[in-house]
Amino acid sequence: MKNVCLKKKNGFTMIEVLISLAIVSIIAVISGFTLRDIINSATRQNNIASTEFETNLGLEIMRVDVGNGGYGLADTDIDKITYDEASDPPGSLPRFSDGGSIIPRAFAHSNDQGGEVSAYNYVPKSDYLVVKSPLVGMNKACGRWSFITKTDGVHIWDASHPGNDMDFETGDRVVIVQTVEDGKKTKLITSGSSYMFTKGAAWPVPTGDTERYAVFGVDHDKDIKMPFNRADYAVRLDPSNTKCAPGTGNLEKNVINQNGGGLTRYKLLECVANMQVTFLINQGGAEGAAADKLIDDLEKLRNPSETKIDAMKLKSQIKEVRVFVLAHEGRKDKSFTYGGPSVVHLGDNSTVGEDVSLASYGTDWKNYRWKVYSFAVRPRTLTK
């Protein structure tokens, strides 16, 4: 029998194993910290990107609505009808609502003097803006429009595609208007004391060969209580939102319902500290620095003898609306320190707008990424 020589195999010593374990542990800890930092950074960037996207979308909705302010509103023959606006405060305050047989104003506004808006759970000293136009609703009839002529009746945008988004559907409630006085005013077409017409029923037709009526969708399957739609923009407090700095709120688009005058809230933007609106007006004369000026309260246009600003005065004098929104991106970030001023002025200059102290938004206000968003838009009307 052969002798088998077994080769000696050397293993690891206990010291070597402990050293290896220590090295692996250190690498694991370092990797864990690195991974944590990567995840935290990615989360911050994702929150910021998400906030930026939502902000751009929300402000674009508001920008489009402000640009449509006054479009499709009637200036004459309103005395043939009666209508109501909002039923809930603060939207029902006389400053904002017209109603009765009053010519509707394209815009109404408040900078919360005396707390008239903040008393209803809105951010103090933040502005409240009302926009009126058939186009500012949120139902599927809004945005649809057409025209009527004596020879062709109601214009169909694409007869081969009856489901075209621009064409009215059965059940759509519309208003019909006509430009008059060389295009300077808009006349409301009525049938007796009614201004509402419904797709599927007969609509009025111009009597003159060269006349044309414009038709605007207002609501779908609901009888309308005002010959336009109305959207109220304001910053409403939201203490339950723990993602945002204390004292901030949501920028909302509140649509006044045609059925009952209540409102439907649409949240456009979270974590908003304040909103300010200023108006560029021209009180006569040529366009330019001598004739134009900025104001931050439409009531400044009102004469002492007027109970509210005349709608035609607003229509002729407002040239541009400017909106400023102060909000923060993402959530609180303890690794971040805000380096901007503690007091932010929202507005074009020191004479219009509002100074907002960031220190009033919690003891950790410096751990938020504060930012001012703004846009300016020239409103269009049917007669411009």
Side-chain angles (χ1 to χ4, degrees):
M1 183 175 179
K2 294 182 179 180
N3 293 327
V4 179
C5 294
L6 297 177
K7 187 176 181 180
K8 184 178 179 182
K9 295 182 179 180
N10 295 323
F12 295 105
T13 66
M14 182 61 70
I15 294 177
E16 290 173 329
V17 171
L18 293 174
I19 292 173
S20 299
L21 289 174
I23 293 173
V24 170
S25 299
I26 292 171
I27 294 174
V29 170
I30 294 174
S31 299
F33 285 136
T34 303
L35 181 60
R36 183 198 62 186
D37 291 341
I38 292 173
I39 292 174
N40 289 342
S41 177
T43 301
R44 285 194 298 269
Q45 294 303 317
N46 181 65
N47 289 337
I48 292 171
S50 177
T51 301
E52 189 72 22
F53 175 80
E54 293 171 357
T55 299
N56 291 337
L57 179 61
L59 292 182
E60 179 62 14
I61 291 173
M62 185 178 184
R63 188 194 67 80
V64 171
D65 278 355
V66 173
N68 286 326
Y71 192 79
L73 288 187
D75 306 318
T76 64
D77 283 19
I78 294 292
D79 58 342
K80 295 181 179 180
I81 68 166
T82 58
Y83 68 95
D84 297 314
E85 289 193 24
S87 59
D88 298 330
S92 58
L93 296 176
R95 176 190 283 261
F96 305 126
S97 287
D98 296 312
S101 299
I102 298 174
I103 298 174
R105 295 164 294 167
F107 298 99
H109 170 257
S110 168
N111 54 19
D112 195 37
Q113 290 183 353
E116 63 180 352
V117 173
S118 56
Y120 300 96
N121 201 38
Y122 291 89
V123 169
K125 297 184 179 179
S126 183
D127 285 7
Y128 192 102
L129 179 66
V130 174
V131 185
K132 302 176 186 180
S133 165
L135 303 181
V136 302
M138 296 291 280
N139 63 82
K140 65 179 183 179
C142 295
R144 294 174 178 162
W145 74 282
S146 187
F147 57 88
I148 306 173
T149 62
K150 178 182 178 181
T151 55
D152 299 325
V154 181
H155 175 74
I156 304 299
W157 291 109
D158 190 345
S160 63
H161 296 86
N164 187 287
D165 289 341
M166 293 300 295
D167 291 327
F168 295 106
E169 295 182 5
T170 299
D172 283 352
R173 273 55 167 173
V174 306
V175 292
I176 302 175
V177 298
Q178 178 189 20
T179 56
V180 294
E181 298 183 17
D182 297 325
K184 294 181 180 179
K185 290 189 176 183
T186 305
K187 176 183 177 181
L188 181 67
I189 304 299
T190 62
S191 176
S193 61
S194 175
Y195 52 83
M196 182 187 76
F197 299 92
T198 304
K199 172 65 175 177
W203 289 354
V205 175
T207 56
D209 292 333
T210 60
E211 292 181 333
R212 187 170 77 165
Y213 293 164
V215 186
F216 294 96
V218 177
D219 211 329
H220 181 76
D221 285 340
K222 295 185 181 69
D223 289 347
I224 59 179
K225 63 177 293 178
M226 49 189 175
F228 50 85
N229 281 304
R230 174 178 150 180
D232 294 10
Y233 283 91
V235 184
R236 190 165 176 263
L237 290 168
D238 187 6
S240 66
N241 192 343
T242 57
K243 298 185 301 182
C244 303
T248 60
N250 301 321
L251 174 61
E252 294 182 339
K253 173 180 178 177
N254 297 329
V255 177
I256 306 302
N257 297 326
Q258 293 285 350
N259 185 12
L263 54 84
T264 300
R265 302 183 186 277
Y266 297 93
K267 183 171 66 175
L268 301 184
L269 179 60
E270 296 179 316
C271 309
V272 178
N274 200 285
M275 177 186 73
Q276 293 294 310
V277 184
T278 59
F279 304 88
L280 179 67
I281 66 168
N282 184 294
Q283 293 183 293
E287 296 274 352
D292 296 352
K293 68 176 183 178
L294 287 167
I295 61 173
D296 62 354
D297 188 354
L298 287 178
E299 289 295 316
K300 292 179 180 179
L301 296 180
R302 182 172 62 86
N303 295 326
S305 60
E306 295 176 321
T307 56
K308 61 176 59 179
I309 308 165
D310 178 72
M312 296 307 297
K313 180 186 291 185
L314 285 184
K315 184 175 181 179
S316 63
Q317 293 191 9
I318 292 181
K319 300 303 177 185
E320 187 173 274
V321 182
R322 303 177 182 182
V323 177
F324 303 84
V325 176
L326 173 62
H328 65 73
E329 295 179 324
R331 303 187 182 190
K332 181 172 68 174
D333 183 358
K334 292 184 178 181
S335 67
F336 171 81
T337 301
Y338 174 74
S342 61
V343 177
V344 178
H345 182 75
L346 286 185
D348 293 273
N349 53 52
S350 58
T351 62
V352 293
E354 183 74 25
D355 288 332
V356 182
S357 173
L358 297 179
S360 62
Y361 297 97
T363 56
D364 298 325
W365 66 271
K366 289 186 176 181
N367 297 134
Y368 295 93
R369 292 173 169 82
W370 298 98
K371 186 174 181 179
V372 175
Y373 303 90
S374 64
F375 66 82
V377 61
R378 289 180 175 267
R380 62 175 183 147
T381 70
L382 192 65
T383 57
K384 270 190 178 179

